[in-house]
Amino acid sequence: MLVDNLISLIGRTPIVKLSRLSPKGVNIFVKLEYLNPTGSHKDRIALYMVRDAINKGLLSPGGKLVEASSGNTAISVAWISSLLGFKPILVVNENVSPNKINAIKALGGEVVLTPYVPAEHPQSKYSVARRISEELGIPYLNQMGNEANVKAHYETTGPEIFEDLKGEIDYFVMGVGTCGTLAGVGTYLKDRLGNKVKVIGVAPKGSRVVHKGGGEGADYIEGLVSEYIPEIFSRYVNVIDSIVEVSYNDAVETLARIVKYEGILGGPSTGANLCASIRVGEELSLQGVKANIVTIAADSIFKYPQLIDHIVKYS
Ligand SMILES: Cc1ncc(COP(=O)(O)O)c(C=O)c1O
């Protein structure tokens, strides 16, 4: 396959059925978003948000932009910016996987590190990104609230899932980071299938999206939100049927089984998504209900070398 435009490789990722770990009578399908060009589903939203900023006249050739991210969006924004000729500033937490930070730098992104503190704190990545945007007069993409994030998944991820499974979808399960994937795919599937399809969010144990006013001391699963209620979550809360809480240990233990028995080399949020999907599937199976559950492998274990060392102990 000869390509002259890397951007054309975003999306159209394959979906695979768990062959060993699907509960009886239930099919669990995983969309392998780590096969996008920079290794995550965030390539889709980076393209949509940057295009939106260009169309709104906020971004012109050679211009600067800023974004706050737990790493994957920052990599995708740095990548799109290098292809389209923009200068990105990426604000990321200090506790993000060092590999991700180096990838952003290698792609030419300027990295600003911030402590992992609640969103409303003046040192949080969101506060710092907003301040940089105001001080330099440059666009802040703000994936947490940007409707282009939802649109990317409504127009691409959702239709791909629907077409590949011929509309035979009963549950869509996805971890909540910005909530863009859950909102975009969930809305698309409900528009096509109505309330027959259930949209299930996944959150780290103790996350504020489940425990109002909580978040402090919640488990940390990279890419999923603990300390903040994303604006998109609040806007699309009606699309979400329920939320499953998953501990970090359960996510990693599930990931170890998924790697070993299914050969799916997802990251920690893939472990959380599959832990929740298997739990939902087991309940249905106990009731004798047949169902198709779809979830996402947002990124791959190769972005977390320390995690590979960790899961070896389960093998
Ligand atoms: C690895 C990973 N998984 C899941 C998510 C959640 O996706 P979304 O932001 O669409 O809710 C993210 C978001 O940053 C992520 O990086």
Side-chain angles (χ1 to χ4, degrees):
M1 178 171 67
L2 181 64
V3 288
D4 53 16
N5 178 1
L6 278 175
I7 292 174
S8 69
L9 296 177
I10 299 175
R12 296 255 40 111
T13 53
I15 298 183
V16 64
K17 186 165 92 173
L18 293 192
S19 57
R20 295 184 176 159
L21 298 180
S22 288
K24 193 163 176 278
V26 171
N27 296 313
I28 297 180
F29 294 94
V30 189
K31 187 162 173 66
L32 304 181
E33 284 293 291
Y34 57 67
L35 294 174
N36 277 297
T38 77
S40 89
H41 63 321
K42 295 296 187 177
D43 289 345
R44 299 177 188 261
I45 75 157
L47 176 62
Y48 267 66
M49 292 193 302
V50 166
R51 238 176 16 201
D52 182 60
I54 297 169
N55 292 342
K56 287 181 174 151
L58 302 170
L59 194 55
S60 37
K64 283 191 171 183
L65 60 110
V66 61
E67 177 58 323
S69 153
S70 67
N72 279 328
T73 302
I75 294 173
S76 299
V77 168
W79 174 72
I80 287 278
S81 298
S82 90
L83 293 175
L84 299 180
F86 300 115
K87 299 189 185 81
I89 303 172
L90 291 320
V91 187
V92 298
N93 291 326
E94 288 159 346
N95 60 346
V96 157
S97 173
N99 265 36
K100 287 188 184 169
I101 294 172
N102 285 337
I104 300 163
K105 289 181 182 165
L107 284 162
E110 183 183 333
V111 174
V112 176
L113 292 178
T114 55
Y116 185 59
V117 288
E120 47 291 340
H121 192 286
Q123 290 307 314
S124 78
K125 60 180 182 281
Y126 309 110
S127 308
V128 170
R130 207 170 284 282
R131 223 162 33 239
I132 291 174
S133 162
E134 283 162 11
E135 280 169 14
L136 300 184
I138 60 174
Y140 168 33
L141 298 180
N142 184 20
Q143 57 169 337
M144 286 285 172
N146 194 328
E147 202 49 39
N149 174 357
V150 182
K151 197 172 177 201
H153 293 295
Y154 186 91
E155 291 186 353
T156 71
T157 323
E160 289 170 26
I161 291 171
F162 187 90
E163 279 162 32
D164 288 343
L165 296 178
K166 301 184 174 53
E168 289 175 13
I169 302 144
D170 302 294
Y171 288 82
F172 177 64
V173 178
M174 175 64 188
V176 176
T178 65
C179 199
T181 315
L182 192 67
V185 174
T187 305
Y188 181 82
L189 294 180
K190 288 208 169 183
D191 283 353
R192 296 296 303 264
L193 299 166
N195 278 335
K196 159 193 178 299
V197 61
K198 299 294 171 219
V199 173
I200 313 282
V202 182
K205 187 170 165 231
S207 171
R208 200 184 290 188
V209 294
V210 182
H211 303 274
K212 296 212 169 42
E216 241 165 271
D219 280 11
Y220 176 66
I221 300 177
E222 201 160 317
L224 306 190
V225 77
S226 298
E227 87 286 20
Y228 181 69
I229 301 211
E231 291 154 57
I232 293 172
F233 178 86
S234 305
R235 285 208 294 272
Y236 285 85
V237 75
N238 291 341
V239 175
I240 305 168
D241 291 285
S242 61
I243 299 189
V244 177
E245 254 179 299
V246 174
S247 70
Y248 176 79
N249 285 343
D250 286 351
V252 171
E253 195 262 334
T254 306
L255 178 64
R257 290 198 293 139
I258 291 296
V259 169
K260 186 171 176 185
Y261 297 111
E262 301 283 353
I264 296 173
L265 291 151
S269 75
T270 305
N273 283 347
L274 280 159
C275 178
S277 301
I278 292 170
R279 269 194 225 159
V280 170
E282 279 171 350
E283 267 178 43
L284 295 168
S285 187
L286 275 176
Q287 295 159 20
V289 177
K290 292 197 186 320
N292 285 343
I293 300 175
V294 187
T295 191
I296 303 269
D299 66 1
S300 91
I301 198 165
F302 296 113
K303 284 189 174 164
Y304 311 88
Q306 69 287 7
L307 187 62
I308 304 182
D309 297 345
H310 186 62
I311 68 164
V312 168
K313 76 170 189 213
Y314 291 95
S315 57

